Amino acid sequence: MAVQQSVGPDPYFPDNGDFRYRVHRYELTLDYRPGPNRLAGTARINAIAGRTALTEFQFNLADFKIGRVRVDGRQPHYTHRGGRLRIRPAKPIRAGAAFTVEVHWSGNPSPVSSPWGGIGWEELSDGALVASQPIGAPSWYPCNDRPADKASYLISVTTPSAYAVVAGGRLLTRTTKASTTTWVYEQAAPTSSYLVGLAIGKFQTVLLGDPGPGGIPQHGHIPAHLLPEFSRDFARQPAMMELFQDLFGPYPFDEYAVAVTEEELDVPVEAQGLSLFGSNHVDGARGSERLVAHELAHQWFGNCVSIADWRHIWLNEGFAKYAEWLWSERSGGRSAQQQAAAAHRLLSALPQDLRLADPGRKSMFDDRLYERGGLTLHAVRCALGDEAFFLMVRSWVRLHRNGSVTTPAFTAHVARFAEEPVDGLFEAWVYGAALPPLPMPGTAAAAV
């Protein structure tokens, strides 16, 4: 595993995260009441100081009431303003030392403000949903909110028994006492804070396909009245899983789940081991099948292999977009070359002022980044040829499993699988703004 931590604040979100330490494990104990939208929580956070002693440090946490804070069992001085919980321990934490922080908080969770509207904990008409990309995690728990700081999670959620709780990871226990039920999930694989997903609602749970011995359990959690449409729309997800394991390497987690809310969502959102869809993505006609493939592919690209900071988001979205094209190609739809040509036509009619390597905060979710990211990977495939390209992709996932990566790391990795230099390809597609010619299979020169 290669972890490439940023050495300073994220340039797009300098107020989020603290690079002076890293978290090893979060243990969250939550009690949520949907009616009043009331959340009470306790977090036990195991962390490790960086190369210098910590006289103070911070977590990101939205506007909750803080009931108690402890550092290694001792009461520190702390302040909580502007989404930052600043903590000054009773004595400095020495460089490289492990330490434990306990935080109690309560209040009415709501999305945090962002350039894209409210993000994070969202109260639904009957339940709740967490979709945190990129900075919504502090809307419901204290965290070191930077994508490269990945930790394991143990999450316990108590709700009224009429509601089910779905989280990424393995369900360890479900215990009912009187009128409430406590659900305990564990995500053992290192997870970025924004990728901790949660859905609370009245769901029916179904198994998608038969994983068989050694297979990946895949579950769907959906409102009962959407089950007929869901059964058709997600019927081919097990085949996607099989294809992506062949192309990208073994599925990186223990299980995979999808949850569908009663309400509509602008776009589906991936979490680690879990993807969240709106009712508008279930139509019984496979109208959103490319998005099913897109969110599944993120389990490899974005979740298992994460980005060191948000400048490199094309490595998440470009791969997920290209996975859509690969699924289409392998399932009887348009070929990747036809998809690339359509994307090229689309981009050629749009402003060409976006650079994949550093799109800027305003453009990090621009549709052009997704399409150009997919085109860039198609250009790499054309330059390397299929055998070397997919060998490169599987090696990329294997080498950086559970780690964090950057664009320069990817360009260097691709170069090791190329018979000819690829500097020009990346200079044109990733670092340049003008749209290069449409890449064609078997002609490396056409890739630039």
Side-chain angles (χ1 to χ4, degrees), residues 182-194:
T182 298
W183 306 68
V184 180
Y185 284 87
E186 181 167 35
Q187 177 55 269
T191 308
S192 300
S193 53
Y194 81 93

Side-chain angles (χ1 to χ4, degrees), residues 101-278:
V101 182
E102 184 180 316
V103 181
H104 296 231
W105 74 100
S106 61
N108 300 105
S110 61
V112 298
S113 298
S114 82
W116 308 277
I119 293 176
W121 188 286
E122 183 175 350
E123 180 187 10
L124 304 178
S125 59
D126 195 18
L129 171 72
V130 172
S132 293
Q133 186 176 4
I135 56 170
S139 68
W140 63 291
Y141 74 101
C143 58
N144 190 15
D145 194 30
R146 51 200 308 265
D149 193 13
K150 304 172 71 170
S152 65
Y153 282 79
L154 183 69
I155 302 175
S156 170
V157 183
T158 299
T159 62
S161 295
Y163 294 86
V165 175
V166 181
R170 187 160 55 97
L171 178 62
L172 298 183
T173 61
R174 184 180 64 190
T175 307
T176 298
K177 292 182 179 179
S179 61
T180 64
T181 299
T182 298
W183 306 68
V184 180
Y185 284 87
E186 181 167 35
Q187 177 55 269
T191 308
S192 300
S193 53
Y194 81 93
L195 287 170
V196 183
L198 194 67
I200 299 172
K202 296 173 180 176
F203 300 122
Q204 182 168 334
T205 299
V206 297
L207 182 65
L208 286 163
D210 180 4
I216 305 300
Q218 300 174 61
H219 289 93
H221 306 274
I222 65 269
H225 69 92
L226 291 177
L227 181 58
E229 293 84 356
F230 177 89
S231 298
R232 176 170 175 79
D233 292 335
F234 286 77
R236 301 209 291 182
Q237 184 180 280
M240 292 178 191
M241 177 71 79
E242 186 176 346
L243 173 65
F244 291 168
Q245 289 196 94
D246 180 52
L247 298 180
F248 308 147
Y251 178 74
F253 308 117
D254 293 333
E255 301 185 11
Y256 181 60
V258 294
V260 178
T261 73
E262 284 276 13
E263 300 181 26
E264 295 188 358
L265 300 178
D266 290 340
V267 293
V269 181
E270 86 278 2
Q272 188 146 309
L274 169 69
S275 293
L276 305 168
F277 293 80

Side-chain angles (χ1 to χ4, degrees), residues 391-406:
L391 184 63
M392 179 276 295
V393 171
R394 289 189 292 272
S395 173
W396 175 249
V397 175
R398 184 177 66 253
L399 289 172
H400 298 284
R401 181 184 179 93
N402 295 329
S404 303
V405 296
T406 63

